[in-house]
Amino acid sequence: MTRASSRTAAPAELFAGATLIVTRPAALSAALKRRIVAQGGAALSLPGIGLRATPEPVTARAALRKARLADMVIFISPIAVRCAFTLLPTLRFARTTRIFAMGAGTARALARRGLRGVIWPAARQDSEGLLALPELARLRGRRVALIGAPGGRDVLPGTLRARGATLQSIHVYQRSVPRLTRRHFDALALAVQPLLTLLSSAEALDNLRAQLSAPLFAKLAAGDAIVSSLRLAQAARRAGFARTHIAASAGVVDMLGAASRALAQHRL
């Protein structure tokens, strides 16, 4: 990680003069963009992932009802929480069911739904961090429901099965390739440096590389990548980003904290 400057900017001017690229799905980026603007920055939406409702809601609801008696339930993201409770607003779990979240944001989303005692990894909020929890070390004979979307990395489901879990994967939404338009391309072409790209998904990074022209992606990579994990930092460097900064988590506060430290270096 990089060090923060000793200069402390007032909140209203924290990101003054910088453009922060928001790669979260458009449906999930409004609060983050408002915070960037409130702190003086320009927020440019460049979604790397699209989100769609599951095409099989009846199947998903039946799976959620079955999951209420699982030994363990894992929610992979805040959107998984939102979609699960949209499909089944009365969703609750047995007293003996242990509920896990990928990170703090997902845990907060569950708390807003009235679920208490959620377990989540504080140190590293990704699949590897979740799998390092002692509660998930021995799973032989345990019924585990994994609530999220199809696709993505196989690290989490593959390891859960390898540890002996009887795994039920419940797909409550779908990820898709985003539909970028001329509006997105023109906004990036005109964006003011320094550029700080907020990345919490390798899939989003891959989609942006595929959809942006070589000159536009080169402009993006010439700026700084604010990433949510070491694995993603390595992916960003392979994609051409020379400067990467690792946030403590994919949460808004941690990502913007890392962005402010990165911007401080430009102001030295």
Side-chain angles (χ1 to χ4, degrees):
M1 286 194 194
T2 54
R3 281 187 173 182
S5 165
S6 59
R7 178 184 183 274
T8 301
E13 65 175 45
L14 190 62
F15 297 118
T19 302
L20 278 71
I21 310 293
V22 178
T23 65
R24 293 185 175 193
L28 303 178
S29 64
L32 175 56
K33 290 191 292 183
R34 284 196 299 269
R35 184 170 296 202
I36 291 168
V37 172
Q39 296 180 358
L44 194 160
S45 182
L46 199 65
I49 293 178
L51 299 177
R52 296 178 180 176
T54 176
E56 299 180 344
V58 174
T59 300
R61 285 191 195 96
L64 288 170
R65 291 188 181 99
K66 182 179 178 181
R68 291 185 293 191
L69 298 177
D71 296 305
M72 300 175 178
V73 175
I74 300 172
F75 287 85
I76 68 164
S77 65
I79 190 64
V81 177
R82 179 194 299 182
C83 291
F85 280 87
T86 297
L87 285 165
L88 192 62
T90 59
L91 180 61
R92 287 295 182 271
F93 300 97
R95 287 176 179 253
T96 56
T97 300
R98 308 191 80 175
I99 303 172
F100 295 81
M102 185 71 78
T106 307
R108 285 193 295 269
L110 288 166
R112 288 193 292 271
R113 298 289 181 171
L115 299 181
R116 300 290 181 261
V118 175
I119 303 167
W120 54 276
R124 179 174 175 175
Q125 299 180 31
D126 57 11
S127 295
E128 288 81 0
L130 192 68
L131 290 166
L133 293 172
E135 293 88 348
L136 294 176
R138 295 177 180 83
L139 299 174
R140 188 161 304 281
R142 310 305 295 274
R143 296 169 299 168
V144 180
L146 183 61
I147 300 177
R153 301 169 69 211
D154 189 53
V155 171
L156 182 55
T159 304
L160 293 173
R161 290 191 188 96
R163 293 178 180 179
T166 299
L167 189 65
Q168 178 192 12
S169 292
I170 305 174
H171 300 150
V172 295
Y173 69 99
Q174 286 187 328
R175 288 185 292 263
S176 62
V177 176
R179 297 179 61 183
L180 299 184
T181 66
R182 175 57 56 189
R183 174 177 59 85
H184 295 102
F185 303 144
D186 291 346
L188 178 56
L190 297 172
V192 175
Q193 300 278 5
L195 295 182
L196 306 173
T197 300
L198 308 177
L199 285 165
S200 55
S201 165
E203 184 179 357
L205 176 60
D206 290 341
N207 287 339
L208 291 176
R209 287 186 71 187
Q211 292 215 46
L212 294 175
S213 66
L216 281 180
F217 190 81
K219 178 175 182 177
L220 205 65
D224 295 54
I226 313 302
V227 299
S228 57
S229 69
L230 175 60
R231 177 184 60 84
L232 193 48
Q234 294 167 341
R237 285 193 286 269
R238 288 194 299 270
F241 283 89
R243 295 183 298 277
T244 60
H245 311 263
I246 304 174
S249 77
V252 170
V253 172
D254 287 333
M255 292 292 281
L256 292 184
S260 70
R261 293 190 291 274
L263 185 57
Q265 294 190 353
H266 290 270
R267 291 171 171 164
L268 289 175

